[in-house]
Amino acid sequence: MADGQLFKPEKDYTKEVDKQLPEAEELAKNNVQAALEKLSVLEKHTRQASDLASTSRLLVAIITISKDSGDWGLLNEQILLLSKKHGQLKQATTKMVQVAMSFIDEAPDAEKKLALIETLRTVTEGKIFVEVERARVTRILSDMKKEQGDLNAAADILCELQVETFGSMERREKTEFILEQVALCIEKGDWTQAGILSRKISTKFFARKPKKTQEQIEKDKKEREEKEKNRSMDDPPLEKEDDVTDLKLRYYEQQITLAKQEDKYLDACKHYRQVLDTESVEENPVQLHAVLQRVIYYILLAPHDNEQSDLLHRINSDTRNSLVPDEQQLLKTFTIPELMRWPIVSERFGAHLCSTDVFSAAASSSDQEDPKAHTRWQDLRKRVIEHNVRVIAKYYTRIQMHRLTQLLDLDEEETESYISQLVTAKTVYAKIDRPARVVSFAKTRDADEVLNEWSGSMKSLLGLLERIDHLITKEEMMARIQPVGDNAVKAH
């Protein structure tokens, strides 16, 4: 009995319980203590006889009588007392805790409500069979602390739960708990903890599922019913195939907030693309327009590397970009190897970009929605300049510094700074000769590389000569055959 296993009852106390429960409830109207003592004696017999159904009914009756008496201290005392009884049945304790949780909203004031919550947390601490109930009670306590304005306490209380290890909790509820934990950490400003907690959620849970036919739905329903019949009480509940779009959008909204906080523009772009791959967003023109814009904005803001370049061209090939023509035009300019003059880009797209909450040409101020909007505007300018440096490196091997500053619309100091950054990132190869005021983009090659190139060139040249020799020989043979053919025609 102590380990919570289900045994066949040694004796069925159903009739005794049916008889004594109404008597105890009637007695409780005049003498609560006597009613509780009467039920406690019967509870001991049912518990020792492993009569789960009767024990559960008695536990529920005892705490209900305590609550109805208006003495909330007595209720807390009875909950603690009953949970500590020797050999108490686990399922009976679970039922008692579940009923006691329903009393929380009936508490007359916050003090009694808090006392009941703490009692339930004490009873459920360290017990796997009531881990889900403990998590729900803890969430209620966290919400109370948040309403009182104590955000740190709310976050600490909720984040102590490791709900990802709870086998008896449904996956949707687990995800909701973790999302709530992340939301509290973000509100508190604990970005590191928020990032750690968010990694506990598997994005496979949000994967878009293909639409099923009516036959498949019926088949899956029958299979679920069969599994439910064969499932034992210790097995975790079967996962429901419900819509998780709301959780998906909440999750990626948090991930975008984290990415923007740490200026991880490529991650933000990927998260927006996941939001874009959501049926509700695709069917909503306003949301679709906004998400398409931000996918383009953040891929342009991301520093150039192989992954960014590949994603940039894939986004450029999306036919839905026609819904945002200005962003499509700006995206296209980044995909072609031509110079983009920042003053022209700023004049052409500046007003439109700054009308969104992503960019701001003005320095950050307290009345702005996003304090990093101006930083992103400066980062866009950097990406335009870096694009221009890569284009120049493609077409020039050597260039005078004053000419380079003209092409980049920068002064000499800024030009050196941007070239140095790109060289450090190994995006381009460059050397600056300050005395000669020349920038060289040609990579120096060792003797082996030069010899290999010469060898390859000679092999190609010899191949061409052989081809030419073959064509000349062919033409000579055709010229010798031609006169014979003409004479034969005349003779005929």
Side-chain angles (χ1 to χ4, degrees):
M1 288 186 295
D3 63 358
Q5 292 181 14
L6 288 174
F7 294 100
K8 185 178 179 181
E10 296 173 9
K11 183 179 177 182
D12 188 355
Y13 282 90
T14 304
K15 291 181 180 179
E16 288 84 345
V17 172
D18 289 341
K19 180 183 177 183
Q20 294 193 31
L21 265 184
E23 294 175 0
E25 289 171 358
E26 189 65 30
L27 179 60
K29 294 177 181 178
N30 302 316
N31 190 340
V32 174
Q33 201 62 42
L36 294 179
E37 288 176 2
K38 183 175 184 178
L39 291 180
S40 296
V41 173
L42 182 58
E43 183 272 335
K44 180 178 180 182
H45 293 309
T46 60
R47 171 165 40 88
Q48 290 177 343
S50 301
D51 187 351
L52 175 60
S54 299
T55 305
S56 300
R57 288 176 64 192
L58 288 169
L59 293 185
V60 170
I62 289 170
I63 64 172
T64 303
I65 290 172
S66 302
K67 187 265 296 184
D68 291 340
S69 69
D71 188 347
W72 290 82
L74 177 63
L75 171 62
N76 295 332
E77 181 185 329
Q78 289 296 325
I79 292 172
L80 287 170
L81 184 66
L82 292 170
S83 66
K84 293 178 180 178
K85 294 279 187 179
H86 176 69
Q88 187 61 273
L89 302 175
K90 290 183 179 181
Q91 289 80 4
T93 305
T94 303
K95 182 65 177 175
M96 178 187 70
V97 170
Q98 288 171 349
V99 173
M101 284 174 62
S102 68
F103 298 159
I104 293 175
D105 293 332
E106 300 178 29
D109 55 54
E111 185 180 347
K112 289 183 173 62
K113 187 176 183 179
L114 189 60
L116 178 57
I117 289 173
E118 290 298 341
T119 300
L120 291 172
R121 277 168 53 81
T122 302
V123 168
T124 56
E125 186 175 6
K127 296 174 181 175
I128 295 176
F129 57 93
V130 283
E131 61 186 2
V132 176
E133 286 73 18
R134 176 177 174 77
R136 290 169 182 163
V137 170
T138 304
R139 190 175 183 180
I140 295 170
L141 178 60
S142 176
D143 291 340
M144 287 179 62
K145 294 292 185 183
K146 186 178 178 182
E147 288 173 6
Q148 294 169 4
D150 193 350
L151 198 61
N152 289 333
D156 292 341
I157 288 168
L158 196 63
C159 291
E160 73 181 16
L161 294 172
Q162 308 294 327
V163 291
E164 67 277 4
T165 64
F166 292 1
S168 54
M169 184 181 282
E170 289 186 1
R171 194 170 181 183
R172 182 184 178 87
E173 191 174 0
K174 283 184 189 179
T175 307
E176 287 175 347
F177 265 95
I178 297 172
L179 289 175
E180 186 66 28
Q181 290 174 339
V182 175
L184 285 172
C185 289
I186 290 175
E187 284 188 57
K188 193 174 75 166
D190 190 350
W191 302 99
T192 304
Q193 181 69 5
I196 292 169
L197 289 170
S198 65
R199 286 196 285 272
K200 294 180 179 181
I201 299 175
S202 173
T203 53
K204 291 180 181 178
F205 181 53
F206 305 126
R208 192 168 179 176
K209 298 176 179 65
K211 290 186 178 180
K212 294 183 178 179
T213 62
Q214 192 62 35
E215 293 179 0
Q216 289 175 320
I217 294 172
E218 291 295 329
K219 184 179 178 183
D220 291 345
K221 186 178 178 181
K222 289 179 182 177
E223 288 179 357
R224 283 183 59 81
E225 289 174 355
E226 189 66 29
K227 287 180 181 178
E228 189 65 37
K229 287 178 183 176
N230 299 330
R231 185 176 73 88
S232 66
M233 292 188 68
D234 294 331
D235 291 336
L238 296 176
E239 292 292 338
K240 295 179 181 177
E241 293 187 6
D242 56 351
D243 186 19
V244 294
T245 302
D246 57 328
L247 299 181
K248 177 180 179 180
L249 294 177
R250 273 181 65 194
Y251 171 77
Y252 282 111
E253 183 182 356
Q254 291 178 352
Q255 292 305 299
I256 289 164
T257 302
L258 292 171
K260 285 160 70 175
Q261 173 64 24
E262 299 175 6
D263 295 332
K264 294 181 177 179
Y265 300 128
L266 187 61
D267 288 346
C269 173
K270 290 177 181 176
H271 298 323
Y272 271 117
R273 279 173 61 82
Q274 291 297 327
V275 173
L276 192 62
D277 185 29
T278 306
E279 190 173 352
S280 63
V281 173
E282 290 176 344
E283 293 173 355
N284 188 324
V286 176
Q287 289 184 351
L288 180 62
H289 185 274
V291 174
L292 281 170
Q293 282 183 321
R294 281 149 184 77
V295 167
I296 294 174
Y297 292 158
Y298 284 101
I299 192 59
L300 297 182
L301 286 169
H304 177 82
D305 56 22
N306 291 337
E307 186 179 8
Q308 187 269 352
S309 179
D310 175 65
L311 189 56
L312 180 75
H313 285 82
R314 279 193 282 141
I315 292 171
N316 186 50
S317 63
D318 193 336
T319 55
R320 292 174 293 186
N321 290 341
S322 58
L323 298 173
V324 284
D326 288 333
E327 286 76 10
Q328 185 183 33
Q329 183 62 34
L330 179 61
L331 178 65
K332 188 176 180 182
T333 57
F334 274 88
T335 60
I336 54 179
E338 294 180 6
L339 289 176
M340 302 163 57
R341 308 296 288 271
W342 172 248
I344 297 173
V345 172
S346 178
E347 182 182 352
R348 168 73 177 80
F349 301 102
H352 174 69
L353 295 178
C354 293
S355 66
T356 67
D357 61 346
V358 180
F359 299 102
S360 174
S364 298
S365 59
S366 58
D367 59 341
Q368 281 185 358
E369 281 188 28
D370 191 341
K372 291 201 171 190
H374 183 65
T375 304
R376 287 193 281 271
W377 179 254
Q378 295 295 328
D379 286 341
L380 181 62
R381 177 174 176 267
K382 288 180 184 178
R383 301 299 171 253
V384 171
I385 294 168
E386 290 169 2
H387 169 82
N388 291 340
V389 172
R390 291 197 303 273
V391 171
I392 293 169
K394 184 175 182 179
Y395 291 111
Y396 285 84
T397 54
R398 287 163 58 87
I399 187 171
Q400 292 287 337
M401 179 62 79
H402 72 88
R403 176 59 178 156
L404 183 58
T405 56
Q406 288 176 357
L407 294 174
L408 298 177
D409 296 299
L410 300 172
D411 57 34
E412 193 168 322
E413 185 177 345
E414 266 194 302
T415 302
E416 283 192 14
S417 173
Y418 278 108
I419 291 174
S420 300
Q421 290 174 14
L422 290 174
V423 169
T424 304
K426 297 185 178 179
T427 305
V428 298
Y429 177 89
K431 282 186 178 180
I432 301 174
D433 187 344
R434 280 183 170 169
R437 298 177 59 77
V438 171
V439 179
S440 174
F441 294 107
K443 191 174 182 180
T444 55
R445 298 179 297 174
D446 57 21
D448 289 338
E449 289 178 335
V450 174
L451 188 60
N452 286 338
E453 185 182 355
W454 178 83
S455 174
S457 298
M458 288 301 296
K459 186 176 181 180
S460 176
L461 178 62
L462 291 172
L464 289 172
L465 287 173
E466 186 177 355
R467 175 69 175 161
I468 291 167
D469 179 52
H470 173 71
L471 291 172
I472 291 171
T473 305
K474 182 180 177 182
E475 286 297 323
E476 288 178 347
M477 291 177 67
M478 292 296 293
R480 290 174 188 160
I481 295 169
Q482 191 65 36
V484 176
D486 290 344
N487 293 335
V489 170
K490 290 178 182 178
H492 180 72

